Amino acid sequence: MSLVEIKDVVKRYGTSLSVDHLNLTIEEGEIFGLLGPNGAGKSTTIKMLVGLLPFDHGEILVDGISVAKHPLEVKRRIGLVPQEIAIYSGLTAQENVIFFAKLYGLRGTKLIDQVEEALAFAGLLEHRFERPESFSGGMKRRLNIACAIMHRPKLIIMDEPTVGIDPQSRNHILDSVKKLNQMGSTIIYTSHYMEEVEAISTRVGIIDQGHLISIGTQAELRKSVAKDEQINIQVAVVNPEAIVELQKHPKISKVTLDHTTIEIILTSAQQYLQDILYILAKHQVIIHSLNRVEPDLESLFLALTGRKLRD
């Protein structure tokens, strides 16, 4: 079932086109990684989705409800963890979560129970009476999450939630994303750290110049983009004559030597592996190990956009 439907959406800033007829569907229960270089339209899309920014054309539905026509109904179903920390330093951790809980209409025992649940989930229950001005960057980020999830939203949008924090806090947040998903929330996750998206996403969408240029599981993206394959062969001793012959093979596009590892780029590892093994055996090269290297999201992103994510 589709939880988010973005249909032919256009957003202009004056004469500049930030989002250009964007179409995107996110299914209920996904952890959807949304990637794009700076200026691609990713942040604009998120702002339109949560009702913070009007759009010029098209339609956005969350849980079947129009963002343009019923923004408050949509906001009740969404939890937003913004890139900029949105908490009040003059309030305690508990008072911060209570403040946001009341904005969502929570009262009485329900408010108390869900605030405590959110603080416990964020690992901040024992710090509930402390002010965030004394917190580390990671603790502030976790409080940000607690404020966003205390109303148990169907959709949680996390926009760069791990910027500027230590590895332990980053791991805590990534584990929290998985737990929130297991508890029934659909997650949209944006990050400039490609390894985070690789670790948690069930599907990935890549936006560039206001367009959705690719979407699918990580395996589907690899299959659609990766035209060449790489194999790494660890050998005992390198024979230069073997390297020369490998370089002359018509289906091998590149051979690189790194100490005793031969890195080979070719059109089909499965089809031409026998040729490679024959050449190495011919020149009496002893193989210790052979591995096929899967392209990662970083290389796929570079292939699609011509840029690195953190350019």
Side-chain angles (χ1 to χ4, degrees):
M1 179 180 174
S2 299
L3 184 63
V4 176
E5 296 175 84
I6 299 175
K7 303 178 180 180
D8 205 31
V9 168
V10 174
K11 177 61 184 177
R12 293 183 177 88
Y13 291 102
T15 58
S16 175
L17 194 59
S18 177
V19 174
D20 185 6
H21 298 277
L22 179 64
N23 289 280
L24 173 62
T25 299
I26 298 172
E27 301 300 320
E28 194 167 340
E30 287 195 276
I31 301 178
F32 188 86
L34 184 62
L35 300 175
N38 291 332
K42 184 175 77 273
S43 295
T44 298
T45 299
I46 288 173
K47 289 176 183 177
M48 292 188 296
L49 174 58
V50 300
L52 294 177
L53 190 66
F55 41 94
D56 301 308
H57 177 78
E59 184 178 34
I60 300 178
L61 304 176
V62 175
D63 204 19
I65 301 169
S66 168
V67 171
K69 295 177 182 177
H70 306 287
L72 291 179
E73 280 298 313
V74 168
K75 287 174 183 177
R76 290 190 183 100
R77 288 163 167 78
I78 294 178
L80 174 63
V81 182
Q83 183 174 347
E84 299 297 328
I85 294 175
I87 53 178
Y88 295 98
S89 58
L91 301 178
T92 66
Q94 179 169 279
E95 288 168 342
N96 266 281
V97 182
I98 288 173
F99 173 80
F100 286 100
K102 287 184 175 180
L103 290 181
Y104 281 94
L106 298 180
R107 297 290 186 271
T109 56
K110 186 176 182 180
L111 180 147
I112 294 169
D113 290 345
Q114 291 184 210
V115 166
E116 186 170 309
E117 179 184 278
L119 286 167
F121 182 84
L124 294 172
L125 199 55
E126 63 184 42
H127 302 284
R128 62 163 73 185
F129 300 121
E130 300 172 26
R131 292 183 179 180
E133 59 192 11
S134 66
F135 287 0
S136 67
M139 292 172 70
K140 289 177 182 177
R141 289 280 174 189
R142 282 151 48 197
L143 179 56
N144 221 26
I145 292 173
C147 292
I149 67 168
M150 48 67 215
H151 60 300
R152 300 173 185 169
K154 292 192 72 171
L155 174 65
I156 301 173
I157 301 171
M158 294 189 163
D159 189 10
E160 302 281 353
T162 64
V163 171
I165 63 173
D166 60 276
Q168 184 177 355
S169 294
R170 176 175 285 113
N171 290 336
H172 185 282
I173 288 174
L174 293 178
D175 288 340
S176 297
V177 172
K178 294 176 185 176
K179 289 176 185 175
L180 288 166
N181 183 246
Q182 290 165 2
M183 291 162 61
S185 291
T186 300
I187 314 289
I188 298 175
Y189 191 94
T190 80
S191 178
H192 278 84
Y193 298 101
M194 197 70 80
E195 63 275 13
E196 293 182 1
V197 177
E198 284 186 312
I200 63 173
S201 64
T202 55
R203 209 160 54 108
V204 177
I206 298 176
I207 292 179
D208 194 24
Q209 298 180 347
H211 296 277
L212 183 70
I213 60 173
S214 192
I215 188 170
T217 65
Q218 294 182 45
E220 288 169 344
L221 291 181
R222 290 188 186 100
K223 187 176 180 181
S224 65
V225 175
K227 296 177 182 177
D228 293 327
E229 299 180 39
Q230 178 178 336
I231 57 173
N232 291 350
I233 304 173
Q234 181 74 36
V235 300
V237 179
V238 176
N239 185 329
E241 293 179 2
I243 301 299
V244 171
E245 188 167 346
L246 286 170
Q247 290 171 335
K248 291 179 178 178
H249 193 288
K251 298 299 182 180
I252 294 177
S253 57
K254 187 177 181 181
V255 180
T256 306
L257 187 60
D258 183 9
H259 300 293
T260 56
T261 300
I262 304 171
E263 299 175 357
I264 300 174
I265 307 295
L266 71 169
T267 54
S268 173
Q270 184 176 358
Q271 189 172 354
Y272 299 107
L273 181 59
Q274 288 300 323
D275 292 5
I276 294 168
L277 295 177
Y278 172 79
I279 292 170
L280 294 176
K282 174 183 171 182
H283 293 285
Q284 299 181 333
V285 176
I286 299 172
I287 298 173
H288 284 173
S289 64
L290 187 151
N291 298 294
R292 182 176 180 271
V293 180
E294 289 282 354
D296 57 16
L297 272 183
E298 190 76 54
S299 62
L300 297 176
F301 187 88
L302 180 62
L304 286 165
T305 67
R307 289 180 277 176
K308 292 184 178 180
L309 189 58
R310 287 193 284 271
D311 275 355

